[in-house]
Amino acid sequence: MALAKGLHLVALVSLLAYSSNAQLFPNFYGARCPNLQSIVRSVMSQTVAQDPSMGASILRLFFHDCFVNGCDASVLLDDTATFQGEKNAGPNANSLRGFQVIDAIKSRVEAACGGVVSCADILALAARDGVNLLGGPSWTVLLGRRDSRTASFSAANSNLPSPSSSFSTLVSVFASKGLGIRDLTALSGAHTVGQARCTNFRTHIYNDPNVNPSFSGARRNMCPQSGGDGNLAPLDFQSPNRFDNGYFQNIMNRAGLLHSDQELFNNTPADAFVRVYSRNSAIFAPDFVTAILKMGNISPLTGTNGEIRVNCRKTN
């Protein structure tokens, strides 16, 4: 109990530090949009009840937004005549989903308090609620982000780690965002929910030596060596719609679906964190919260920078 309290205290101290450094605050909207969080929660509750996998999809949207030029809702923008958006970049094409959920939330928020709440903040809140509705932790979301007026196809292609990334590449990519190995490992625990396409794990299950044979055999049944690129498999085969520490148990048993997953338990400095998280979800959960607070603080637009979009898919 004392350990858990200590970890929550660390997360609280971190929360205060991020709030001070980035001009983001839990009560940023205050009286201007008092029902914001209940609106987001209501839509996410209905969505996850109908399709539990959407909780993971919204969390992935948040990750793919923050890692490309900061948490500014650029990932939500459609292509225009003046710029190519991020939706069709390699890591996102045919895999990112949940845009219509953010649209639904934004529509209700605009009806309640028009022109006040950014799409970037809506995405941050929706990601939190998606995790919590799947049985994961909750946390106080820092608010005050503004929306970008552009997106970057090239940055989406270069800034996001791939499913085939080596451990050194993962460490480098996360370090470039101010995230350490502990953050990398904890955030990767998001793969306790969600699915991946065959094309993203085929090489791993057929060619990598550090894969449990029974696990690779089961995955090969639905992911042939050719064809079936879009076939889906759960990232956590034990509890695919439950946000828990099963992901870490899987990779300790050499049953990580992606090459990048298994790299976290492959005689690297992340091994120690994987062992701890696999045994104790009470340590994983607050570490995940601390890491996602850091991630949510990556280069936000604040003050008079950016804008508050009326429609999350296009600039004003």
Side-chain angles (χ1 to χ4, degrees), residues 65 68-70 72-78 80 82-86 147-153 301 306-307 309 314-316:
D65 182 39
V68 180
N69 297 330
D72 59 4
S74 60
V75 74
L76 304 178
L77 289 171
D78 290 336
T80 73
T82 57
F83 69 83
Q84 187 173 14
E86 298 164 18
D147 300 323
S148 67
R149 293 189 173 97
T150 188
S152 177
F153 179 84
L301 297 173
E307 65 182 13
R309 286 183 217 144
K314 61 183 183 180
T315 59
N316 294 341

Side-chain angles (χ1 to χ4, degrees), residues 244-262:
D244 55 22
N245 63 341
Y247 166 81
F248 299 105
Q249 297 167 6
N250 292 340
I251 59 178
M252 280 193 67
N253 291 323
R254 296 183 298 141
L257 185 63
L258 306 177
H259 175 85
S260 57
D261 290 331
Q262 200 57 57

Side-chain angles (χ1 to χ4, degrees), residues 41-313:
R41 183 73 176 194
S42 174
V43 176
M44 285 301 297
S45 295
Q46 295 170 15
T47 298
V48 173
Q50 294 170 0
D51 179 5
S53 69
M54 195 57 77
S57 295
I58 297 298
L59 178 59
R60 186 165 181 256
L61 262 184
F62 186 45
F63 175 83
H64 281 228
D65 182 39
C66 292
F67 263 59
V68 180
N69 297 330
C71 308
D72 59 4
S74 60
V75 74
L76 304 178
L77 289 171
D78 290 336
D79 294 350
T80 73
T82 57
F83 69 83
Q84 187 173 14
E86 298 164 18
K87 291 182 177 179
N88 291 310
N92 298 337
N94 301 313
S95 64
L96 276 191
R97 59 196 287 264
F99 300 105
Q100 77 281 8
V101 177
I102 302 303
D103 291 340
I105 297 171
K106 179 64 170 174
S107 177
R108 288 186 55 179
V109 169
E110 283 296 304
C113 37
V116 172
V117 182
S118 69
C119 299
D121 277 344
I122 286 173
L123 181 54
L125 288 166
R128 186 272 311 274
D129 287 347
V131 168
N132 184 238
L133 288 163
L134 293 176
S138 186
W139 59 91
T140 300
V141 176
L142 299 174
L143 301 168
R145 301 169 189 82
R146 288 169 65 85
D147 300 323
S148 67
R149 293 189 173 97
T150 188
S152 177
F153 179 84
S154 61
N157 277 320
S158 61
N159 290 9
L160 291 163
S162 80
S164 61
S165 292
S166 66
F167 180 72
S168 61
T169 297
L170 291 171
V171 170
S172 176
V173 170
F174 275 70
S176 72
K177 308 300 179 185
L179 301 168
I181 293 175
R182 186 171 193 152
D183 303 315
L184 158 64
T185 311
L187 286 172
S188 295
H191 284 183
T192 187
V193 291
Q195 304 177 95
R197 299 169 68 229
C198 170
T199 188
N200 289 325
F201 61 85
R202 178 185 286 118
T203 299
H204 177 56
I205 62 171
Y206 282 98
N207 298 338
D208 285 353
N210 59 340
V211 184
N212 184 306
S214 63
F215 174 77
S216 61
R219 298 286 78 81
R220 289 176 185 181
N221 287 335
M222 51 71 59
C223 182
Q225 285 188 291
S226 62
D229 285 1
N231 293 352
L232 296 172
L235 288 160
D236 174 1
F237 70 94
Q238 293 190 83
S239 50
N241 292 320
R242 180 78 180 172
F243 197 98
D244 55 22
N245 63 341
Y247 166 81
F248 299 105
Q249 297 167 6
N250 292 340
I251 59 178
M252 280 193 67
N253 291 323
R254 296 183 298 141
L257 185 63
L258 306 177
H259 175 85
S260 57
D261 290 331
Q262 200 57 57
E263 284 288 278
L264 297 180
F265 195 74
N266 195 28
N267 298 313
T268 72
D271 287 13
F273 296 119
V274 171
R275 288 191 180 95
V276 170
Y277 296 157
S278 71
R279 293 193 301 264
N280 195 334
S281 59
I283 296 178
F284 162 54
D287 273 12
F288 177 83
V289 168
T290 298
I292 203 166
L293 283 170
K294 286 184 182 180
M295 188 185 81
N297 193 52
I298 297 173
S299 304
L301 297 173
T302 58
T304 58
N305 295 315
E307 65 182 13
I308 304 298
R309 286 183 217 144
V310 175
N311 181 334
C312 292
R313 293 175 181 261

